[in-house]
Structures are given as C-alpha cells and as structure tokens.
C-alpha cells in the first residue's frame, strides 16, 4: 500500500510512523508512506496557504488552490482521498479495515478552522474524524489512521493472529483483562483460573470478563 499525507507539518505526521512495528513495515515495503509540505503548492511568493473566512468569523481556513494542486499532483488510478476533520465520520476498526484494502490513500490534513468546502465537494472521497474532540493539527489524526491501517496489512505484525483476536475485531466486545508474571505482585495475584491450565474454564472466564469490562467502559457497545 502507498500512503501520501499532505500537511503543514510533515514531521508531525511521520514521527509516530518512524519507530517500532510501523517503521519495520515501512522498511519491509509493506507500506510506503510519504508526507508532503502543503506550502510547496502555495500560489504566492510568501508560501501562504490560508485566508480569512468568507462571511466573517474567527480564524483562518486552508484555501482551495494549494489543496487542489496537491491532489492533482499525487492522485492516481484507485486513490482514495481522505480529509482528516472533526466533522468527519467516526474512525473505527471497521473503517481501518476498509482503508487497509485500498492500494493508495491520499490523506489531507486540516489546520486552523479547516479547509474551504470546495475541497470537500470536489476532491474528497471520505471525511474522517478520530474522535469527538478538536486537535490543533490534522497531521496527528492522520498518523493515528496510518498506524491503525498499516498494522492490519499482511505481514505488518509478526504474529498474524494478534490483530484478529483483539478488541473490536469480535463485534462489539472489548478484550478481557490480561496478566503476565510474576504470579503475585505487591499482594495482587493473577486469577487462579488463568493458572489452572483448564482451557474451557479460561475461555469462559475471558468471555465473562470481556462482557463485564464492556459494560463498565463502553455500555454504548452493548446496546
Ligand atoms: N483535526 C482536528 N481534530 C480532528 C479530529 N478529531 N479528527 C480528525 N481530524 C482532526
């Protein structure tokens, strides 16, 4: 898969993708990621890319010209153009899976008050939000999406099973609590059942704990 990110802060977008599992996936050629400076497509000599809001209002908006030029330069056959914005559809594991099936993602990052709406109307296939809060910078959201997508690509995780068994892959259920050694730590013990070697009992315990944890932390998933 190839991913192009267009942003005012390429280093911010790439920093979380330059270490550990994602870096290894990039080095192995599983995902090719490049971040581009939006100002390179600026139309004026001061490399400006933003302007004030038509009709008044606080803040600045990214102008359409540089974003149109960037998409025209980077888009190819089969590209999915994504805009990171708090106004987008919620990013979920199912969306990550959907994007992991694409051959090329072109991710546009908003900044300031967002982007001129003609960009959304004419260029964007998918507006995506990573949550109900406002970040200073869409590059952070782009990195989150890239991480979640790249780790799903075949070969990105050493053990193929590990992305299949975790939370949200099973519909609507969080993962059960997990423990490692030591068996006793500061007076707190690993539950006996996990040390019993009794696989059907362990499975039943995990199921019960998963339901309990989901009820406590994500009651919305149980509705
Ligand atoms: N840009 C600013 N906040 C964002 C969010 N929550 N999701 C995606 N892009 C954003």
């Amino acid at each position: 898969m190839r991913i192009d990110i267009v942003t005012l802060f390429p280093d911010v977008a790439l920093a979380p993708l330059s270490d550990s599992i994602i870096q290894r996936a990039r080095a192995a050629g599983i995902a090719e990621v490049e971040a581009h400076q939006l100002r390179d497509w600026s139309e004026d000599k001061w490399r400006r890319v933003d302007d004030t809001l038509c009709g008044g209002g606080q803040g600045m908006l990214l102008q359409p010209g540089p974003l149109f030029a960037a998409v025209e330069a980077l888009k190819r056959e089969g590209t999915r153009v994504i805009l990171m914005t708090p106004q987008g559809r919620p990013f979920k594991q199912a969306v990550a899976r959907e994007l992991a099936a694409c051959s090329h993602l072109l991710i546009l990052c908003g900044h300031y008050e967002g982007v001129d709406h003609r960009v959304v109307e004419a260029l964007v296939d998918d507006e995506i939000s990573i949550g109900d809060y406002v970040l200073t910078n869409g590059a952070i959201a782009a990195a989150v999406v890239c991480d979640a997508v790249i780790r799903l690509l075949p070969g990105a995780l050493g053990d193929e099973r590990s992305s299949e068994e975790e939370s949200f892959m099973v519909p609507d259920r969080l993962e059960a609590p997990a423990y490692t050694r030591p068996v006793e730590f500061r007076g707190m013990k690993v539950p006996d059942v996990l040390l019993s070697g009794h696989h059907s009992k362990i499975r039943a315990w995990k199921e019960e704990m998963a339901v309990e944890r989901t009820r406590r932390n994500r009651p919305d998933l149980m509705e």
Side-chain angles (χ1 to χ4, degrees):
M1 161 182 274
R2 181 172 170 91
I3 304 176
D4 287 290
I5 304 168
V6 177
T7 169
L8 286 167
F9 301 97
D11 293 345
V12 172
L14 288 182
L17 308 174
S18 302
D19 216 324
S20 183
I21 292 170
I22 302 301
Q23 174 54 33
R24 281 201 295 278
R26 291 174 64 194
I30 292 165
E32 199 185 339
V33 185
E34 202 175 329
H36 307 267
Q37 173 52 260
L38 176 63
R39 290 190 198 283
D40 291 348
W41 286 284
S42 168
E43 290 160 330
D44 75 14
K45 62 179 174 189
W46 299 282
R47 288 167 56 83
R48 276 190 50 176
V49 291
D50 61 326
D51 210 330
T52 53
L53 286 145
C54 293
Q58 294 254 310
M60 305 290 275
L61 213 57
L62 293 180
Q63 296 170 295
L67 285 162
F68 269 71
V71 171
E72 282 154 10
L74 297 170
K75 194 174 170 172
R76 44 171 100 159
E77 183 132 346
T79 299
R80 177 110 155 222
V81 181
I82 293 165
L83 174 68
M84 300 314 308
T85 165
Q87 274 73 50
R89 67 170 170 141
F91 187 60
K92 300 268 169 78
Q93 191 66 22
V95 179
R97 257 180 269 139
E98 198 184 307
L99 299 183
C102 298
S103 58
H104 181 210
L105 304 179
L106 174 46
I107 305 180
L108 309 178
C109 302
H111 193 54
Y112 313 118
E113 297 308 303
V115 306
D116 184 289
H117 197 63
R118 288 164 289 192
V119 170
V120 178
E121 287 175 326
L123 300 180
V124 170
D125 299 313
D126 218 349
E127 296 173 89
I128 293 181
S129 164
I130 62 161
D132 292 339
Y133 38 78
V134 181
L135 303 166
T136 55
N137 184 345
I140 299 167
V144 168
V145 167
C146 289
D147 183 289
V149 168
I150 292 169
R151 67 187 287 289
L152 291 178
L153 299 176
L157 300 179
D159 176 358
E160 291 289 334
R161 272 184 13 208
S162 43
S163 77
E164 269 159 37
E165 280 183 3
E166 63 201 5
S167 299
F168 304 115
M169 301 303 276
V170 185
D172 308 338
R173 190 65 52 82
L174 301 180
E175 268 183 275
Y179 298 84
T180 182
R181 269 151 291 279
V183 165
E184 187 166 348
F185 176 72
R186 299 193 181 184
M188 296 176 283
K189 281 201 68 192
V190 173
D192 287 336
V193 62
L194 296 179
L195 308 169
S196 69
H198 199 303
H199 295 296
S200 63
K201 278 191 184 160
I202 292 173
R203 212 173 313 117
W205 180 88
K206 283 189 175 176
E207 180 67 18
E208 191 188 323
M209 291 298 129
V211 171
E212 155 62 19
R213 199 179 211 182
T214 309
R215 202 189 310 281
R216 178 157 33 92
N217 292 339
R218 293 295 305 275
D220 56 302
L221 294 178
M222 312 223 33
E223 278 155 19

PDB file of all heavy atoms in Angstrom, residues 83-89 91 108-112 114 127-142 145, ligand 1:
ATOM      1  N   LEU A  83      -9.990  13.309   3.970  1.00  0.00           N
ATOM      2  CA  LEU A  83      -9.731  14.548   4.703  1.00  0.00           C
ATOM      3  C   LEU A  83      -9.879  14.276   6.189  1.00  0.00           C
ATOM      4  O   LEU A  83     -10.917  13.762   6.637  1.00  0.00           O
ATOM      5  CB  LEU A  83     -10.725  15.640   4.276  1.00  0.00           C
ATOM      6  CG  LEU A  83     -10.639  16.946   5.076  1.00  0.00           C
ATOM      7  CD1 LEU A  83      -9.319  17.680   4.794  1.00  0.00           C
ATOM      8  CD2 LEU A  83     -11.826  17.851   4.772  1.00  0.00           C
ATOM      9  N   MET A  84      -8.848  14.598   6.967  1.00  0.00           N
ATOM     10  CA  MET A  84      -8.939  14.485   8.420  1.00  0.00           C
ATOM     11  C   MET A  84      -9.639  15.731   8.944  1.00  0.00           C
ATOM     12  O   MET A  84      -9.160  16.852   8.729  1.00  0.00           O
ATOM     13  CB  MET A  84      -7.534  14.386   9.051  1.00  0.00           C
ATOM     14  CG  MET A  84      -6.684  13.200   8.604  1.00  0.00           C
ATOM     15  SD  MET A  84      -7.520  11.607   8.562  1.00  0.00           S
ATOM     16  CE  MET A  84      -8.220  11.522  10.209  1.00  0.00           C
ATOM     17  N   THR A  85     -10.758  15.549   9.621  1.00  0.00           N
ATOM     18  CA  THR A  85     -11.534  16.675  10.136  1.00  0.00           C
ATOM     19  C   THR A  85     -12.450  16.214  11.267  1.00  0.00           C
ATOM     20  O   THR A  85     -13.004  15.107  11.188  1.00  0.00           O
ATOM     21  CB  THR A  85     -12.405  17.315   9.019  1.00  0.00           C
ATOM     22  OG1 THR A  85     -13.399  18.156   9.619  1.00  0.00           O
ATOM     23  CG2 THR A  85     -13.110  16.280   8.158  1.00  0.00           C
ATOM     24  N   PRO A  86     -12.620  17.052  12.309  1.00  0.00           N
ATOM     25  CA  PRO A  86     -13.564  16.678  13.365  1.00  0.00           C
ATOM     26  C   PRO A  86     -15.002  16.593  12.840  1.00  0.00           C
ATOM     27  O   PRO A  86     -15.865  16.036  13.511  1.00  0.00           O
ATOM     28  CB  PRO A  86     -13.415  17.778  14.417  1.00  0.00           C
ATOM     29  CG  PRO A  86     -12.509  18.799  13.861  1.00  0.00           C
ATOM     30  CD  PRO A  86     -11.904  18.299  12.598  1.00  0.00           C
ATOM     31  N   GLN A  87     -15.250  17.100  11.638  1.00  0.00           N
ATOM     32  CA  GLN A  87     -16.591  16.998  11.033  1.00  0.00           C
ATOM     33  C   GLN A  87     -16.799  15.686  10.274  1.00  0.00           C
ATOM     34  O   GLN A  87     -17.829  15.489   9.627  1.00  0.00           O
ATOM     35  CB  GLN A  87     -16.819  18.174  10.066  1.00  0.00           C
ATOM     36  CG  GLN A  87     -17.347  19.435  10.741  1.00  0.00           C
ATOM     37  CD  GLN A  87     -16.274  20.108  11.562  1.00  0.00           C
ATOM     38  OE1 GLN A  87     -15.169  20.342  11.084  1.00  0.00           O
ATOM     39  NE2 GLN A  87     -16.594  20.417  12.802  1.00  0.00           N
ATOM     40  N   GLY A  88     -15.809  14.792  10.314  1.00  0.00           N
ATOM     41  CA  GLY A  88     -15.891  13.567   9.518  1.00  0.00           C
ATOM     42  C   GLY A  88     -16.684  12.452  10.178  1.00  0.00           C
ATOM     43  O   GLY A  88     -17.145  12.567  11.307  1.00  0.00           O
ATOM     44  N   ARG A  89     -16.778  11.310   9.467  1.00  0.00           N
ATOM     45  CA  ARG A  89     -17.420  10.133  10.076  1.00  0.00           C
ATOM     46  C   ARG A  89     -16.437   9.513  11.063  1.00  0.00           C
ATOM     47  O   ARG A  89     -15.211   9.605  10.875  1.00  0.00           O
ATOM     48  CB  ARG A  89     -17.867   9.130   9.010  1.00  0.00           C
ATOM     49  CG  ARG A  89     -16.765   8.458   8.249  1.00  0.00           C
ATOM     50  CD  ARG A  89     -17.334   7.317   7.396  1.00  0.00           C
ATOM     51  NE  ARG A  89     -16.327   6.820   6.475  1.00  0.00           N
ATOM     52  CZ  ARG A  89     -16.167   5.539   6.181  1.00  0.00           C
ATOM     53  NH1 ARG A  89     -16.940   4.631   6.724  1.00  0.00           N
ATOM     54  NH2 ARG A  89     -15.233   5.155   5.335  1.00  0.00           N
ATOM     55  N   PHE A  91     -13.852   7.368  13.018  1.00  0.00           N
ATOM     56  CA  PHE A  91     -12.870   6.342  12.660  1.00  0.00           C
ATOM     57  C   PHE A  91     -13.014   5.172  13.616  1.00  0.00           C
ATOM     58  O   PHE A  91     -12.869   5.330  14.830  1.00  0.00           O
ATOM     59  CB  PHE A  91     -11.462   6.925  12.734  1.00  0.00           C
ATOM     60  CG  PHE A  91     -10.408   5.986  12.220  1.00  0.00           C
ATOM     61  CD1 PHE A  91     -10.438   5.533  10.914  1.00  0.00           C
ATOM     62  CD2 PHE A  91      -9.380   5.559  13.037  1.00  0.00           C
ATOM     63  CE1 PHE A  91      -9.475   4.664  10.424  1.00  0.00           C
ATOM     64  CE2 PHE A  91      -8.397   4.702  12.560  1.00  0.00           C
ATOM     65  CZ  PHE A  91      -8.445   4.245  11.256  1.00  0.00           C
ATOM     66  N   LEU A 108      -5.438  14.273   3.374  1.00  0.00           N
ATOM     67  CA  LEU A 108      -5.303  15.724   3.502  1.00  0.00           C
ATOM     68  C   LEU A 108      -5.558  16.104   4.951  1.00  0.00           C
ATOM     69  O   LEU A 108      -6.539  15.652   5.551  1.00  0.00           O
ATOM     70  CB  LEU A 108      -6.323  16.437   2.599  1.00  0.00           C
ATOM     71  CG  LEU A 108      -6.380  15.992   1.133  1.00  0.00           C
ATOM     72  CD1 LEU A 108      -7.485  16.754   0.391  1.00  0.00           C
ATOM     73  CD2 LEU A 108      -5.019  16.206   0.454  1.00  0.00           C
ATOM     74  N   CYS A 109      -4.670  16.941   5.504  1.00  0.00           N
ATOM     75  CA  CYS A 109      -4.794  17.316   6.912  1.00  0.00           C
ATOM     76  C   CYS A 109      -5.267  18.753   7.016  1.00  0.00           C
ATOM     77  O   CYS A 109      -4.652  19.652   6.441  1.00  0.00           O
ATOM     78  CB  CYS A 109      -3.451  17.191   7.615  1.00  0.00           C
ATOM     79  SG  CYS A 109      -2.778  15.530   7.494  1.00  0.00           S
ATOM     80  N   GLY A 110      -6.330  18.956   7.765  1.00  0.00           N
ATOM     81  CA  GLY A 110      -6.808  20.313   8.006  1.00  0.00           C
ATOM     82  C   GLY A 110      -5.930  21.011   9.039  1.00  0.00           C
ATOM     83  O   GLY A 110      -5.143  20.384   9.740  1.00  0.00           O
ATOM     84  N   HIS A 111      -6.067  22.325   9.091  1.00  0.00           N
ATOM     85  CA  HIS A 111      -5.396  23.100  10.126  1.00  0.00           C
ATOM     86  C   HIS A 111      -6.236  24.350  10.319  1.00  0.00           C
ATOM     87  O   HIS A 111      -7.137  24.614   9.543  1.00  0.00           O
ATOM     88  CB  HIS A 111      -3.970  23.444   9.692  1.00  0.00           C
ATOM     89  CG  HIS A 111      -3.144  23.951  10.840  1.00  0.00           C
ATOM     90  ND1 HIS A 111      -3.008  23.255  12.004  1.00  0.00           N
ATOM     91  CD2 HIS A 111      -2.432  25.086  11.005  1.00  0.00           C
ATOM     92  CE1 HIS A 111      -2.232  23.935  12.832  1.00  0.00           C
ATOM     93  NE2 HIS A 111      -1.872  25.056  12.251  1.00  0.00           N
ATOM     94  N   TYR A 112      -5.964  25.136  11.344  1.00  0.00           N
ATOM     95  CA  TYR A 112      -6.778  26.321  11.627  1.00  0.00           C
ATOM     96  C   TYR A 112      -8.244  25.902  11.724  1.00  0.00           C
ATOM     97  O   TYR A 112      -8.567  24.916  12.360  1.00  0.00           O
ATOM     98  CB  TYR A 112      -6.567  27.408  10.559  1.00  0.00           C
ATOM     99  CG  TYR A 112      -5.107  27.654  10.245  1.00  0.00           C
ATOM    100  CD1 TYR A 112      -4.605  27.428   8.988  1.00  0.00           C
ATOM    101  CD2 TYR A 112      -4.233  28.097  11.244  1.00  0.00           C
ATOM    102  CE1 TYR A 112      -3.273  27.645   8.690  1.00  0.00           C
ATOM    103  CE2 TYR A 112      -2.893  28.312  10.961  1.00  0.00           C
ATOM    104  CZ  TYR A 112      -2.419  28.077   9.695  1.00  0.00           C
ATOM    105  OH  TYR A 112      -1.103  28.276   9.408  1.00  0.00           O
ATOM    106  N   GLY A 114     -10.066  24.673   9.414  1.00  0.00           N
ATOM    107  CA  GLY A 114     -10.430  23.608   8.477  1.00  0.00           C
ATOM    108  C   GLY A 114     -10.065  23.992   7.053  1.00  0.00           C
ATOM    109  O   GLY A 114      -9.128  24.765   6.830  1.00  0.00           O
ATOM    110  N   GLU A 127     -14.494  11.939   4.552  1.00  0.00           N
ATOM    111  CA  GLU A 127     -14.094  12.821   5.661  1.00  0.00           C
ATOM    112  C   GLU A 127     -14.057  11.958   6.921  1.00  0.00           C
ATOM    113  O   GLU A 127     -15.058  11.325   7.258  1.00  0.00           O
ATOM    114  CB  GLU A 127     -15.109  13.933   5.858  1.00  0.00           C
ATOM    115  CG  GLU A 127     -15.250  14.908   4.713  1.00  0.00           C
ATOM    116  CD  GLU A 127     -16.412  15.861   4.978  1.00  0.00           C
ATOM    117  OE1 GLU A 127     -16.191  16.905   5.600  1.00  0.00           O
ATOM    118  OE2 GLU A 127     -17.548  15.532   4.586  1.00  0.00           O
ATOM    119  N   ILE A 128     -12.925  11.965   7.621  1.00  0.00           N
ATOM    120  CA  ILE A 128     -12.775  11.087   8.782  1.00  0.00           C
ATOM    121  C   ILE A 128     -12.371  11.875  10.026  1.00  0.00           C
ATOM    122  O   ILE A 128     -11.468  12.718   9.975  1.00  0.00           O
ATOM    123  CB  ILE A 128     -11.744   9.972   8.493  1.00  0.00           C
ATOM    124  CG1 ILE A 128     -12.303   9.029   7.413  1.00  0.00           C
ATOM    125  CG2 ILE A 128     -11.402   9.188   9.756  1.00  0.00           C
ATOM    126  CD1 ILE A 128     -11.401   7.878   7.062  1.00  0.00           C
ATOM    127  N   SER A 129     -13.050  11.573  11.142  1.00  0.00           N
ATOM    128  CA  SER A 129     -12.700  12.134  12.448  1.00  0.00           C
ATOM    129  C   SER A 129     -12.195  11.014  13.343  1.00  0.00           C
ATOM    130  O   SER A 129     -12.768   9.921  13.340  1.00  0.00           O
ATOM    131  CB  SER A 129     -13.940  12.771  13.086  1.00  0.00           C
ATOM    132  OG  SER A 129     -13.718  12.988  14.474  1.00  0.00           O
ATOM    133  N   ILE A 130     -11.131  11.269  14.120  1.00  0.00           N
ATOM    134  CA  ILE A 130     -10.661  10.218  15.026  1.00  0.00           C
ATOM    135  C   ILE A 130     -11.342  10.301  16.394  1.00  0.00           C
ATOM    136  O   ILE A 130     -11.080   9.473  17.261  1.00  0.00           O
ATOM    137  CB  ILE A 130      -9.125  10.192  15.194  1.00  0.00           C
ATOM    138  CG1 ILE A 130      -8.603  11.482  15.811  1.00  0.00           C
ATOM    139  CG2 ILE A 130      -8.443   9.918  13.869  1.00  0.00           C
ATOM    140  CD1 ILE A 130      -7.208  11.331  16.410  1.00  0.00           C
ATOM    141  N   GLY A 131     -12.211  11.269  16.604  1.00  0.00           N
ATOM    142  CA  GLY A 131     -12.923  11.324  17.885  1.00  0.00           C
ATOM    143  C   GLY A 131     -13.576  12.676  18.084  1.00  0.00           C
ATOM    144  O   GLY A 131     -13.293  13.623  17.363  1.00  0.00           O
ATOM    145  N   ASP A 132     -14.432  12.735  19.096  1.00  0.00           N
ATOM    146  CA  ASP A 132     -15.199  13.958  19.335  1.00  0.00           C
ATOM    147  C   ASP A 132     -14.414  14.944  20.184  1.00  0.00           C
ATOM    148  O   ASP A 132     -14.763  15.208  21.345  1.00  0.00           O
ATOM    149  CB  ASP A 132     -16.540  13.612  19.992  1.00  0.00           C
ATOM    150  CG  ASP A 132     -17.438  12.860  19.036  1.00  0.00           C
ATOM    151  OD1 ASP A 132     -17.223  12.963  17.811  1.00  0.00           O
ATOM    152  OD2 ASP A 132     -18.356  12.169  19.507  1.00  0.00           O
ATOM    153  N   TYR A 133     -13.326  15.441  19.626  1.00  0.00           N
ATOM    154  CA  TYR A 133     -12.521  16.480  20.251  1.00  0.00           C
ATOM    155  C   TYR A 133     -11.783  17.170  19.114  1.00  0.00           C
ATOM    156  O   TYR A 133     -11.703  16.643  18.014  1.00  0.00           O
ATOM    157  CB  TYR A 133     -11.507  15.889  21.254  1.00  0.00           C
ATOM    158  CG  TYR A 133     -10.915  14.594  20.778  1.00  0.00           C
ATOM    159  CD1 TYR A 133      -9.905  14.583  19.803  1.00  0.00           C
ATOM    160  CD2 TYR A 133     -11.374  13.368  21.257  1.00  0.00           C
ATOM    161  CE1 TYR A 133      -9.379  13.395  19.336  1.00  0.00           C
ATOM    162  CE2 TYR A 133     -10.853  12.179  20.786  1.00  0.00           C
ATOM    163  CZ  TYR A 133      -9.865  12.192  19.831  1.00  0.00           C
ATOM    164  OH  TYR A 133      -9.347  11.022  19.359  1.00  0.00           O
ATOM    165  N   VAL A 134     -11.269  18.365  19.379  1.00  0.00           N
ATOM    166  CA  VAL A 134     -10.606  19.114  18.305  1.00  0.00           C
ATOM    167  C   VAL A 134      -9.108  19.169  18.582  1.00  0.00           C
ATOM    168  O   VAL A 134      -8.679  19.650  19.637  1.00  0.00           O
ATOM    169  CB  VAL A 134     -11.182  20.537  18.189  1.00  0.00           C
ATOM    170  CG1 VAL A 134     -10.505  21.287  17.051  1.00  0.00           C
ATOM    171  CG2 VAL A 134     -12.691  20.484  17.964  1.00  0.00           C
ATOM    172  N   LEU A 135      -8.325  18.650  17.651  1.00  0.00           N
ATOM    173  CA  LEU A 135      -6.866  18.730  17.726  1.00  0.00           C
ATOM    174  C   LEU A 135      -6.412  20.026  17.066  1.00  0.00           C
ATOM    175  O   LEU A 135      -7.138  20.615  16.268  1.00  0.00           O
ATOM    176  CB  LEU A 135      -6.252  17.544  16.985  1.00  0.00           C
ATOM    177  CG  LEU A 135      -6.676  16.149  17.463  1.00  0.00           C
ATOM    178  CD1 LEU A 135      -6.278  15.093  16.452  1.00  0.00           C
ATOM    179  CD2 LEU A 135      -6.059  15.857  18.814  1.00  0.00           C
ATOM    180  N   THR A 136      -5.176  20.452  17.366  1.00  0.00           N
ATOM    181  CA  THR A 136      -4.651  21.655  16.700  1.00  0.00           C
ATOM    182  C   THR A 136      -4.329  21.359  15.245  1.00  0.00           C
ATOM    183  O   THR A 136      -4.250  22.262  14.426  1.00  0.00           O
ATOM    184  CB  THR A 136      -3.348  22.127  17.364  1.00  0.00           C
ATOM    185  OG1 THR A 136      -2.429  21.032  17.372  1.00  0.00           O
ATOM    186  CG2 THR A 136      -3.595  22.606  18.791  1.00  0.00           C
ATOM    187  N   ASN A 137      -4.172  20.064  14.927  1.00  0.00           N
ATOM    188  CA  ASN A 137      -3.453  19.727  13.715  1.00  0.00           C
ATOM    189  C   ASN A 137      -3.896  18.361  13.201  1.00  0.00           C
ATOM    190  O   ASN A 137      -3.749  17.358  13.892  1.00  0.00           O
ATOM    191  CB  ASN A 137      -1.978  19.698  14.152  1.00  0.00           C
ATOM    192  CG  ASN A 137      -1.035  19.448  13.032  1.00  0.00           C
ATOM    193  OD1 ASN A 137      -1.428  19.023  11.943  1.00  0.00           O
ATOM    194  ND2 ASN A 137       0.214  19.712  13.287  1.00  0.00           N
ATOM    195  N   GLY A 138      -4.423  18.348  11.988  1.00  0.00           N
ATOM    196  CA  GLY A 138      -4.894  17.085  11.406  1.00  0.00           C
ATOM    197  C   GLY A 138      -3.793  16.064  11.166  1.00  0.00           C
ATOM    198  O   GLY A 138      -4.066  14.879  10.966  1.00  0.00           O
ATOM    199  N   ALA A 139      -2.515  16.504  11.206  1.00  0.00           N
ATOM    200  CA  ALA A 139      -1.408  15.554  10.988  1.00  0.00           C
ATOM    201  C   ALA A 139      -1.370  14.502  12.101  1.00  0.00           C
ATOM    202  O   ALA A 139      -0.987  13.353  11.868  1.00  0.00           O
ATOM    203  CB  ALA A 139      -0.077  16.295  10.917  1.00  0.00           C
ATOM    204  N   ILE A 140      -1.767  14.893  13.300  1.00  0.00           N
ATOM    205  CA  ILE A 140      -1.809  13.939  14.417  1.00  0.00           C
ATOM    206  C   ILE A 140      -2.874  12.878  14.123  1.00  0.00           C
ATOM    207  O   ILE A 140      -2.649  11.678  14.291  1.00  0.00           O
ATOM    208  CB  ILE A 140      -2.127  14.669  15.749  1.00  0.00           C
ATOM    209  CG1 ILE A 140      -1.029  15.688  16.057  1.00  0.00           C
ATOM    210  CG2 ILE A 140      -2.309  13.679  16.893  1.00  0.00           C
ATOM    211  CD1 ILE A 140      -1.388  16.674  17.164  1.00  0.00           C
ATOM    212  N   ALA A 141      -4.026  13.335  13.640  1.00  0.00           N
ATOM    213  CA  ALA A 141      -5.112  12.400  13.294  1.00  0.00           C
ATOM    214  C   ALA A 141      -4.690  11.500  12.136  1.00  0.00           C
ATOM    215  O   ALA A 141      -4.996  10.299  12.128  1.00  0.00           O
ATOM    216  CB  ALA A 141      -6.368  13.188  12.943  1.00  0.00           C
ATOM    217  N   ALA A 142      -3.968  12.045  11.171  1.00  0.00           N
ATOM    218  CA  ALA A 142      -3.515  11.242  10.019  1.00  0.00           C
ATOM    219  C   ALA A 142      -2.587  10.128  10.495  1.00  0.00           C
ATOM    220  O   ALA A 142      -2.665   8.989  10.025  1.00  0.00           O
ATOM    221  CB  ALA A 142      -2.805  12.129   9.001  1.00  0.00           C
ATOM    222  N   VAL A 145      -4.622   7.291  11.967  1.00  0.00           N
ATOM    223  CA  VAL A 145      -5.252   6.469  10.925  1.00  0.00           C
ATOM    224  C   VAL A 145      -4.205   5.572  10.251  1.00  0.00           C
ATOM    225  O   VAL A 145      -4.429   4.373  10.056  1.00  0.00           O
ATOM    226  CB  VAL A 145      -5.966   7.374   9.892  1.00  0.00           C
ATOM    227  CG1 VAL A 145      -6.360   6.594   8.641  1.00  0.00           C
ATOM    228  CG2 VAL A 145      -7.197   8.013  10.536  1.00  0.00           C
TER     229      VAL A 145
HETATM  230  N1  LIG B   1      -8.413  17.631  13.090  1.00  0.00           N
HETATM  231  C1  LIG B   1      -8.647  18.244  14.258  1.00  0.00           C
HETATM  232  N2  LIG B   1      -9.327  17.466  15.109  1.00  0.00           N
HETATM  233  C2  LIG B   1      -9.531  16.284  14.449  1.00  0.00           C
HETATM  234  C3  LIG B   1     -10.200  15.068  14.782  1.00  0.00           C
HETATM  235  N3  LIG B   1     -10.793  14.894  15.966  1.00  0.00           N
HETATM  236  N4  LIG B   1     -10.212  14.097  13.860  1.00  0.00           N
HETATM  237  C4  LIG B   1      -9.636  14.277  12.660  1.00  0.00           C
HETATM  238  N5  LIG B   1      -9.008  15.395  12.281  1.00  0.00           N
HETATM  239  C5  LIG B   1      -8.958  16.400  13.165  1.00  0.00           C
END
